Amino acid sequence: MSSDLVDRTLANGLRVLAVRHGVTPLAEARLLLPSPCPTRAVLAESVLLAACLSRGQAAEDRVELDVVADVHQMTATACCSLHDMDALTRALAEVARGVPTEVEPARGHLIAQLKVARAHPDFTVRAQLARQLFGDHPVAFTMPEEDELARIAEVRRGPSGPRGAVLVILAPDDPGRLADAAERTLAGWQAPLRDVAPLPPLPAVEGGRLVLLSRPGAPQSRIRLRAPGVTVEHERYPELFLACGVLGGALSSRLSRSLREDKGYVYGVTVFFDSHPGAGFLAIEADTAAATTGPALEVLAAELSRMRTHPPTGQEIATARAYAIGSMATRLAPRARLATALADLAAKAMDPLLLLDFPRRLAAVTPDAVVAAAEEFFAPERFSGVVAADPRELADPPALGRCR
């Protein structure tokens, strides 16, 4: 193993991933705590607990700490001076204990944050997309409602314990010393007596279901599409990643040229992977003027079909590969972003070390493999999703290829 990396699993089950990074004497940490939420009431309690822990556990004011929760886990983000590592690990240990303080102030602050989030025009679109794709599965729970938070008299629920939890620490220091600091404080953390069942697997997403989310008078339409893909650890992920890059990964991609430069239909269009624990989806998202919603969908469907009838060329693949490797190096250069990216893989139930090996995996992909991925995954009828638009601007129900 590299001298810049220590991957250690403690006796209690906590995995500690310590990475030497940068020169600025700061430490970044991300603690992922399994906390599956099978119901909306459980999600509300978990989100409120995270808000309490954010307010109450900034150890001696020397650690910047934030805690958030979703249906899968609780995530603590911490930053401090390298000289305050003990304070950082103490703050994370308090988060792991999950003992809430100042419930009422935390509730008020959280409700104010949720109001701001719900005011964003994309909030309703994404909530509808989740329901369209996943039905009543818990992953479709986006945020708790105010009345759900108000009904919680006392927060009793904490994270499920160290087994399955992951701690990522990045700092310009010996990674063994970073891991030792974490172990001194967190080795005594033990699992609670209760067993917490994992969430059920995601349901299969049926292709060809494009739903109109009516927004009368809206000057702008939002197109949000998903299709089954593969997860990051899958052997075909790198080839599909490059195929996505050809279709919509950069300004030189096919969708950007057709929809943005040639037609002027969209303000922006992107193709990316929408990953969940145990499942991965191809995502296409675009925003367009209300009057060009139908034409934009037609062009999008045509470009998806062209990925099969006119496969990615060697030059397109080389461009997508160079852009992916270069942008990854630039995007993940800041310590905080790399720490978050590593933790995000852990949050999706995948090995964070896959991120560090990804440039090598991309470099090994053959053009034939990218062409095969484009042929298999980009049929228009595989995609489902929502179109948020003024129905008066659409002559027919929204469609993508043969989607009805």
Side-chain angles (χ1 to χ4, degrees), residues 15-363:
R15 183 181 182 186
V16 179
L17 185 63
V19 182
R20 189 198 308 269
H21 185 279
V23 295
T24 308
L26 294 173
E28 285 279 350
R30 305 290 184 269
L31 178 62
L32 277 294
L33 305 170
S35 188
C37 301
T39 68
R40 291 194 59 90
V42 173
L43 174 63
E45 189 170 3
S46 187
V47 170
L48 181 55
L49 173 60
C52 292
L53 296 174
S54 289
R55 295 176 62 86
Q57 307 298 345
E60 304 173 34
D61 295 325
R62 292 182 288 164
V63 179
E64 294 182 16
L65 180 70
D66 184 47
V67 188
V68 297
D70 60 24
V71 296
H72 296 291
Q73 68 269 315
M74 198 172 292
T75 304
T77 297
C79 177
C80 70
S81 166
L82 185 58
H83 305 296
D84 291 326
M85 274 298 301
D86 287 341
L88 182 145
T89 57
R90 286 198 302 272
L92 294 178
E94 288 301 306
V95 171
R97 288 179 59 228
V99 179
T101 59
E102 298 183 325
V103 172
E104 287 307 319
R107 193 199 320 265
H109 184 66
L110 177 58
I111 288 174
Q113 287 181 314
L114 294 179
K115 286 181 178 178
V116 172
R118 288 196 179 88
H120 193 282
D122 209 32
F123 174 83
T124 302
V125 180
R126 296 199 176 279
Q128 179 63 38
L129 176 64
R131 288 192 292 270
Q132 164 77 359
L133 295 176
F134 307 121
D136 58 359
H137 189 281
V139 80
F141 305 158
T142 49
M143 297 180 185
E145 301 292 339
E146 290 183 31
D147 60 337
E148 294 170 334
L149 295 170
R151 286 196 293 268
I152 301 173
E154 181 182 358
V155 178
R156 302 184 182 90
R157 184 178 190 271
S160 59
R163 194 155 303 280
V166 178
L167 172 61
V168 176
I169 306 175
L170 274 67
D173 196 6
D174 173 40
R177 192 154 45 233
L178 298 174
D180 290 344
E183 185 166 8
R184 282 194 301 271
T185 307
L186 294 165
W189 173 29
Q190 297 300 319
L193 296 177
R194 62 185 176 85
D195 291 327
V196 178
L199 296 182
L202 284 175
V205 173
E206 179 184 350
R209 298 171 59 209
L210 201 56
V211 172
L212 173 65
L213 179 58
S214 181
R215 300 179 66 200
Q220 180 175 319
S221 300
R222 299 173 186 272
I223 301 168
R224 302 290 183 263
L225 307 176
R226 298 293 187 271
V230 297
T231 56
V232 175
E233 72 268 27
H234 195 281
E235 61 181 10
R236 299 195 67 187
Y237 179 83
E239 62 199 56
L240 187 53
F241 187 94
L242 291 179
C244 285
V246 172
L247 178 64
L251 290 177
S252 62
S253 66
R254 292 186 178 189
L255 282 178
S256 183
R257 289 199 306 269
S258 294
L259 283 168
R260 190 170 185 269
E261 296 177 17
D262 295 346
K263 303 292 186 182
Y265 286 162
V266 303
Y267 310 110
V269 58
T270 184
V271 180
F272 61 96
F273 279 85
D274 182 9
S275 296
H276 299 261
F281 299 91
L282 301 176
I284 301 177
E285 299 192 353
D287 297 336
T288 183
T292 56
T293 305
L297 284 169
E298 292 177 4
V299 172
L300 202 159
E303 288 298 339
L304 283 170
S305 295
R306 284 188 69 247
M307 289 292 286
R308 310 174 77 196
T309 61
H310 297 74
T313 66
Q315 183 58 53
E316 285 180 313
I317 294 168
T319 299
R321 193 192 323 259
Y323 178 81
I325 294 175
S327 63
M328 178 180 174
T330 302
R331 180 169 49 87
L332 299 182
R335 185 178 301 141
R337 288 192 178 183
L338 178 56
T340 297
L342 290 167
D344 186 60
L345 278 178
K348 303 300 190 298
M350 289 175 275
D351 189 347
L353 296 183
L354 287 169
L355 182 68
L356 305 181
D357 188 48
F358 194 53
R360 182 199 63 78
R361 295 176 70 196
L362 281 181

